[in-house]
């Protein structure tokens, strides 16, 4: 029951990021939301890691490893993600996030020098097709455009590259310390971009902004990530099953909180993505 609840809460929290970001975008510009989120989450985690748990600071090449991982996983991935949500619906954002395991499986094959399996290629194709189907009617209703989808695609690729890079490194630091520093360094790397591309007069630091940043920093960046790391430690294969729920929760949040439309295209597209996820990971699940 403990593992079941951990997986359920992970899926619920992780899927809420798109809706929370859309709410923040009502009051502030994308990079402002992202930078505030990363600094708040990073500082809170560092205080806990180094002052409470007394974990050691990174050493020597670990700084380089964390910096690269933070740049890919936070600066590029989440930076692009929050910008993309200006142009696409929260539901599509959650659905796109669910395709990450498919992209990761392809990239890891090239990284490790193994041949790409047919099921992985077919799974990725189904995932892309599913996103396209779910997105199609939203173009006509101004809930998505090509620019947003391109930025969202760049975001997903950056996350997948970052994940493959992380898995290929030898780490000696506690996971919580790695997460704390990669989030903070990712926020630092985003600072000059935020300064250059932000029109500060367009930001209103109201309730929407505050709740969006707090939710993204604490329940999502800290809570969901730690639950995910816990699930991976227990059983990496079973942990991946909880990713199947992300697009479902994502569309529920988008419809209930943001009044975004759900149609037959949404159901069909989500089914394609879930089928692609299952197909790509079927051998692992059955082993």
């Amino acid at each position: 029951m403990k593992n079941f609840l951990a997986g359920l809460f992970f899926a619920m929290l992780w899927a809420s990021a798109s809706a929370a970001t859309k709410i923040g975008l009502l009051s502030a510009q994308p990079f402002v939301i992202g930078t505030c989120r990363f600094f708040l989450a990073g500082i809170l985690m560092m205080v806990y890691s180094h002052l409470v748990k007394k974990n050691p600071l990174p050493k020597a090449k670990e700084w380089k490893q964390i910096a690269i991982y933070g740049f890919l996983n936070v600066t590029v991935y989440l930076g692009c993600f929050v910008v993309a949500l200006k142009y696409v619906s929260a539901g599509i954002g959650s659905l796109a996030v669910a395709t990450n395991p498919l992209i990761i499986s392809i990239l890891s094959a090239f990284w490790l020098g193994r041949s790409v399996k047919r099921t992985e290629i077919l799974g990725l194709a189904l995932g892309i097709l599913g996103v396209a189907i779910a997105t199609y009617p939203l173009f006509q209703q101004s809930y998505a455009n090509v620019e947003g989808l391109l930025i969202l695609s760049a975001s997903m690729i950056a996350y997948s590259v970052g994940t493959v890079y992380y898995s290929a490194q030898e780490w000696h630091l506690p996971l919580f310390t790695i997460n704390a520093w990669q989030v903070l360094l990712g926020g630092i790397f985003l600072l000059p971009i935020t300064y250059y591309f932000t029109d500060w007069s367009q930001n209103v630091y109201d309730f929407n902004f505050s709740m969006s940043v707090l939710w993204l920093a604490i329940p999502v960046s800290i809570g969901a990530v730690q639950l995910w790391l816990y699930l991976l430690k227990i059983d990496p294969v079973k942990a991946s099953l909880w990713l199947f729920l992300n697009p479902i929760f994502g569309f529920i949040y988008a419809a209930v909180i943001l009044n975004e439309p759900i149609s037959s295209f949404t159901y069909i597209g989500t089914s394609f993505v879930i089928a692609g996820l299952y197909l790509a990971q079927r051998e692992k699940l059955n082993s």
Side-chain angles (χ1 to χ4, degrees), residues 118-134:
R118 292 181 180 179
T119 53
E120 292 174 327
I121 296 175
L122 182 57
L124 181 60
L126 284 173
I128 295 173
L129 180 59
V131 173
I133 292 173

Side-chain angles (χ1 to χ4, degrees), residues 179-232:
N179 191 29
W181 279 103
Q182 66 105 7
V183 169
L184 184 64
L185 289 178
I188 291 173
F189 296 147
L190 192 62
L191 273 177
I193 301 173
T194 302
Y195 177 79
Y196 184 81
F197 287 101
T198 296
D199 180 357
W200 298 97
S201 64
Q202 298 299 312
N203 299 302
V204 179
Y205 305 104
D206 57 6
F207 181 79
N208 285 336
F209 172 80
S210 300
M211 293 308 299
S212 173
V213 170
L214 286 172
W215 185 267
L216 290 169
I218 300 175
V220 177
S221 289
I222 299 177
V225 170
Q226 290 307 122
L227 285 171
W228 176 242
L229 294 177
Y230 167 79
L231 293 168
L232 288 176

Side-chain angles (χ1 to χ4, degrees), residues 226-273:
Q226 290 307 122
L227 285 171
W228 176 242
L229 294 177
Y230 167 79
L231 293 168
L232 288 176
K233 184 178 180 181
I234 299 300
D235 190 328
V237 175
K238 290 183 179 179
S240 65
L241 292 173
W242 295 106
L243 296 172
F244 289 26
L245 292 180
N246 282 329
I248 298 174
F249 279 121
F251 276 113
I252 291 174
Y253 294 144
V256 174
I257 299 175
L258 303 172
N259 294 317
E260 291 183 359
I262 290 182
S263 66
S264 57
F265 287 89
T266 305
Y267 298 119
I268 296 172
T270 301
S271 299
F272 270 76
V273 172

Side-chain angles (χ1 to χ4, degrees), residues 7 46 49 88 95 141 147-148 162 170-171 178 193 195 216-217 222 237 247 268:
M46 279 202 301
S49 178
V88 302
L95 189 61
Q141 303 172 46
E147 181 181 1
E170 184 178 355
W171 300 93
I178 295 172
I193 301 173
Y195 177 79
L216 290 169
I222 299 177
V237 175
I268 296 172

Side-chain angles (χ1 to χ4, degrees), residues 10 22 39 59 110 118 130 170 172 207 236 280 282 284:
F10 159 74
K22 292 290 279 190
F39 271 87
K59 299 177 181 178
F110 287 108
R118 292 181 180 179
E170 184 178 355
H172 301 288
F207 181 79
R282 183 176 56 185
K284 294 181 181 179

Side-chain angles (χ1 to χ4, degrees), residues 7-232:
L8 184 63
F9 278 114
F10 159 74
M12 293 173 65
L13 291 175
W14 196 245
S16 70
S18 295
T21 300
K22 292 290 279 190
I23 291 173
L25 288 171
L26 296 173
S27 303
Q29 295 177 74
F31 291 134
V32 174
I33 296 171
T35 302
C36 292
R37 167 192 179 180
F38 305 144
F39 271 87
L40 178 58
I43 290 172
L44 288 175
M45 285 190 288
M46 279 202 301
V47 168
Y48 179 78
S49 178
H50 298 303
L51 297 183
V52 178
K53 300 295 289 184
K54 307 296 182 181
N55 291 328
L57 289 169
K59 299 177 181 178
K61 70 173 185 178
E62 291 174 335
W63 285 112
K64 178 182 178 181
Q65 292 174 316
I66 294 176
I68 294 174
Y69 182 48
F71 178 76
L72 292 169
N73 195 52
V74 175
T75 309
V76 182
Y77 163 51
L78 292 175
C80 287
F81 186 76
V82 70
V83 172
L85 285 180
K86 284 187 63 178
Y87 309 104
V88 302
S89 70
I92 293 301
S94 297
L95 189 61
V97 169
T99 65
N100 277 329
L102 304 174
I103 303 172
I104 290 169
S105 66
I106 301 294
L107 290 178
S108 62
F110 287 108
W111 188 286
L112 298 174
R114 67 170 175 82
S115 58
V116 180
K117 298 177 182 178
R118 292 181 180 179
T119 53
E120 292 174 327
I121 296 175
L122 182 57
L124 181 60
L126 284 173
I128 295 173
L129 180 59
V131 173
I133 292 173
T135 305
Y136 174 72
L138 300 179
F139 280 103
Q140 301 173 329
Q141 303 172 46
S142 300
Y143 280 96
N145 61 28
V146 174
E147 181 181 1
L149 290 177
L150 290 175
I151 298 173
L152 191 60
S153 299
S155 173
M156 299 305 106
I157 292 173
Y159 175 82
S160 300
V161 172
T163 300
V164 173
Y165 172 81
Y166 174 85
S167 64
Q169 304 305 304
E170 184 178 355
W171 300 93
H172 301 288
L173 289 168
L175 293 175
F176 200 89
T177 303
I178 295 172
N179 191 29
W181 279 103
Q182 66 105 7
V183 169
L184 184 64
L185 289 178
I188 291 173
F189 296 147
L190 192 62
L191 273 177
I193 301 173
T194 302
Y195 177 79
Y196 184 81
F197 287 101
T198 296
D199 180 357
W200 298 97
S201 64
Q202 298 299 312
N203 299 302
V204 179
Y205 305 104
D206 57 6
F207 181 79
N208 285 336
F209 172 80
S210 300
M211 293 308 299
S212 173
V213 170
L214 286 172
W215 185 267
L216 290 169
I218 300 175
V220 177
S221 289
I222 299 177
V225 170
Q226 290 307 122
L227 285 171
W228 176 242
L229 294 177
Y230 167 79
L231 293 168
L232 288 176

